[in-house]
Amino acid sequence: MLRSTNSHFASEVKSPETHLSPANAMGVRSAAFEELEEKPACTEGRRDESIFDSPDTSQAEPLISEPAVPTWQIIVSLTLLFLNYFLAQYDKFILSYFQDDVIGSLKLSQSSYGLLSGYATGIVYALLALPTAYIADYTSARVWVLSVAAAWWSLCAIFQGLSNNFWQILLARIGMGIGQAPVEALSVSLISDFMGKRYVFLGASVLYVGVYIGEAVSGQIAVAFTRTHTPWNTALIAIGIAGIVIAVLIRILVREPRRQSALVQSSFADHLGEHKDPVSGSAKVSNAVADFKATWAYVARMRSFWILVLSASFRQLSGNVFGYYMPTYLSTLYSSRPNLLSRYGIIVGVVGSVAVILGGLLTSLFWKTTKTLPLFLTGIGGMVSSIFVLLMIFSKSIAGGNDDSQGIRTLYGTMSAAYLTAELWLGAINSLIALLLPPRYKTFGLAIWAAIQVLVYSSGPEIIGLALRNVDSASQAYLDGTKIALAVIIPVGYWLAGVGFLMAINPVKRDLDGDFIQGRRLGRTRRAGFGVFAFILGGLVVGLFVASIVYRA
């Protein structure tokens, strides 16, 4: 049972805003956030009412505790969101499965390929995810923004398929990043309002099945295209055309749901974004700025958000390196097995889909017992999976080096175990984050969550591309270098993420109780930590991006 602290503190300290008329409340509330940098910190253990509580001054539609969306509408909406997410991920699978063909046809270096699979989309994704998500929340136009984004990335997928050199495909992928930026945050946000809190985890898990279905389809396409000598860019053009159709269907069939209240027992979370419709355009801008600052203040004061986002970033870093480099590595290692990519795709599609659905289902089933099951599934599952990943990478050596038959059996068995233990997490973790965030600005919060992860995990392909930039991709040295990179980056990322998720259990419980970091100003240590993190992350992104451009030839 969640413990509500707001009523207790409200009885001790009355906010000045409670004496205001609705017409004046928003102005004082905005001023409260401006005071964040001016007034001394409150004493520890006492809730800061001017930050975490505000009255209902809105004529807007109130939040609901549980949605009442018809089942058929949930099914249609979830299907379209799934298809859109699946197709939006598809370009990276093409780059992964057709790595040699892409490099050869466009005359790319390894560092150029690393740039295309790393920060070419990562930087614009991170920069544009925040404003597009915020606009979608503030205007209550999530479906509109999602349909426009789907149409845009679909056009960019077609342009990627028509590219003839590095600069053309680089620009097309930058455009792709613009369209992909709001897709995940908007989709999870909509699902979290379509479905009841208990079933949000299962709904989001269905969305993330798109990742694994994409791998499965890519494997089959790679084998079929190789046999028929069909060029790799044909798949991108087809995906782009299909994406435009999905964009139109989303706009026609998906309806904007009413906002559902958060798990966190804080009236600040529920009231953020509630204010009277402004009379003038300047008042609307002022309200938007106030809500923007308030959302950042909320996220900055969460005890669990930052350790969770850093842990998820390491987990995604491992997954990104796995996705871009593992298929080509294994197909080269077992070059005598022409059907390997097909089998690889089937295992990823079937086992990965089962695992992510199982993770969402388990979280929903045990929802009343514990809210932190996703952290255990992710943390422990990733650490166990790292063992099976190492067995995958060295499967041929384990089998004796010359016996492909024994090696391939070892590979398929350990790969199945690796995906079953590692992929329980996506839907469950992202749903938990959505339910922790302010209801009216959860898309914006999810965009912060996703943007930081993208900037971290996009570094993986960049680092590998730079490390192997002078190595012939057809040589034994390239195979050995890729093996070392996979054997180091993936397990280390899994373990760092696992430890982080387990450490986040108690902070998550405190956030669920509404026990945020107190004080009108963040402590020096916390502010310094944010500054150091931003400096390191910014330096990493700029350094790797510039290096990839300089050494791309």
Side-chain angles (χ1 to χ4, degrees), residues 173-258:
R173 285 193 59 71
I174 289 174
M176 187 85 175
I178 295 172
Q180 289 175 333
V183 170
E184 183 175 5
L186 286 167
S187 299
V188 175
S189 178
L190 287 168
I191 290 171
S192 68
D193 288 328
F194 279 130
M195 309 181 75
K197 294 182 180 68
R198 180 174 182 177
Y199 300 103
V200 168
F201 303 95
L202 185 57
S205 297
V206 171
L207 175 76
Y208 286 111
V209 166
V211 175
Y212 310 103
I213 297 298
E215 286 268 15
V217 173
S218 298
Q220 309 316 306
I221 289 177
V223 173
F225 278 29
T226 301
R227 288 176 177 172
T228 59
H229 304 289
T230 305
W232 60 273
N233 48 9
T234 302
L236 281 172
I237 295 173
I239 290 300
I241 294 171
I244 293 174
V245 175
I246 295 298
V248 174
L249 292 176
I250 287 175
R251 182 63 200 98
I252 295 173
L253 298 177
V254 179
R255 295 288 178 266
E256 184 78 30
R258 292 177 61 184

Side-chain angles (χ1 to χ4, degrees), residues 30-52:
S30 299
F33 287 104
E34 292 173 0
E35 291 173 353
L36 285 174
E37 298 297 326
E38 298 174 4
K39 295 190 176 181
C42 298
T43 57
E44 182 66 21
R46 179 168 176 170
R47 184 169 298 282
D48 187 349
E49 292 295 326
S50 66
I51 294 176
F52 288 97

Side-chain angles (χ1 to χ4, degrees), residues 134-203:
Y134 185 79
I135 291 170
D137 274 338
Y138 190 70
T139 60
S140 295
R142 290 176 290 179
V143 175
W144 256 111
V145 174
L146 184 60
S147 59
V148 172
W152 177 257
W153 70 249
S154 299
L155 289 173
C156 291
I158 294 174
F159 289 140
Q160 284 186 73
L162 298 175
S163 300
N164 294 311
N165 56 54
F166 169 76
W167 291 108
Q168 289 177 359
I169 195 171
L170 175 64
L171 291 175
R173 285 193 59 71
I174 289 174
M176 187 85 175
I178 295 172
Q180 289 175 333
V183 170
E184 183 175 5
L186 286 167
S187 299
V188 175
S189 178
L190 287 168
I191 290 171
S192 68
D193 288 328
F194 279 130
M195 309 181 75
K197 294 182 180 68
R198 180 174 182 177
Y199 300 103
V200 168
F201 303 95
L202 185 57

Side-chain angles (χ1 to χ4, degrees), residues 63-64 197 260-265 269-270 298 434-439:
L63 299 172
I64 56 176
K197 294 182 180 68
Q260 184 176 191
S261 59
L263 285 175
V264 178
Q265 299 299 298
D270 286 346
Y298 182 95
L435 293 174
L436 284 169
L437 292 167

Side-chain angles (χ1 to χ4, degrees), residues 4-147:
S4 176
T5 58
N6 289 305
S7 57
H8 169 71
F9 283 105
S11 64
E12 290 184 6
V13 183
K14 279 194 175 267
S15 170
E17 294 184 40
T18 58
H19 303 290
L20 295 175
S21 65
N24 295 325
M26 188 60 205
V28 175
R29 183 163 149 241
S30 299
F33 287 104
E34 292 173 0
E35 291 173 353
L36 285 174
E37 298 297 326
E38 298 174 4
K39 295 190 176 181
C42 298
T43 57
E44 182 66 21
R46 179 168 176 170
R47 184 169 298 282
D48 187 349
E49 292 295 326
S50 66
I51 294 176
F52 288 97
D53 286 302
S54 63
D56 186 351
T57 63
S58 177
Q59 293 178 344
E61 195 170 48
L63 299 172
I64 56 176
S65 58
E66 290 290 327
V69 181
T71 303
W72 69 266
Q73 190 175 336
I74 293 176
I75 294 173
V76 170
S77 300
L78 194 55
T79 300
L80 289 173
L81 293 177
F82 160 77
L83 290 173
N84 182 52
Y85 184 71
F86 155 61
L87 295 174
Q89 302 290 313
Y90 199 79
D91 64 312
K92 73 179 183 181
F93 299 135
I94 296 298
L95 287 182
S96 173
Y97 279 83
F98 292 93
Q99 178 180 341
D100 290 339
D101 293 339
V102 172
I103 291 174
S105 64
L106 298 178
K107 298 179 175 57
L108 304 177
S109 64
Q110 286 300 321
S111 57
S112 296
Y113 177 81
L115 181 62
L116 292 177
S117 53
Y119 285 128
T121 56
I123 293 176
V124 292
Y125 184 110
L127 291 176
L128 292 176
L130 302 184
T132 53
Y134 185 79
I135 291 170
D137 274 338
Y138 190 70
T139 60
S140 295
R142 290 176 290 179
V143 175
W144 256 111
V145 174
L146 184 60
S147 59

Side-chain angles (χ1 to χ4, degrees), residues 465-550:
L466 287 170
L468 301 176
R469 66 183 185 276
N470 295 321
V471 182
D472 182 3
S473 60
S475 66
Q476 182 63 38
Y478 181 82
L479 185 67
D480 293 339
T482 304
K483 178 194 297 185
I484 293 172
L486 293 172
V488 172
I489 295 176
I490 297 174
V492 169
Y494 278 6
W495 274 84
L496 288 174
V499 171
F501 280 119
L502 294 177
M503 289 175 60
I505 291 173
N506 285 331
V508 166
K509 290 179 179 179
R510 295 181 70 178
D511 282 341
L512 288 170
D513 286 340
D515 182 15
F516 296 93
I517 300 295
Q518 302 301 315
R520 295 182 184 277
R521 295 187 65 183
L522 295 175
R524 290 183 178 179
T525 302
R526 195 169 183 83
R527 282 184 289 162
F530 286 149
V532 171
F533 175 74
F535 179 79
I536 293 175
L537 184 58
L540 177 71
V541 171
V542 173
L544 288 176
F545 184 77
V546 171
S548 295
I549 292 291
V550 171

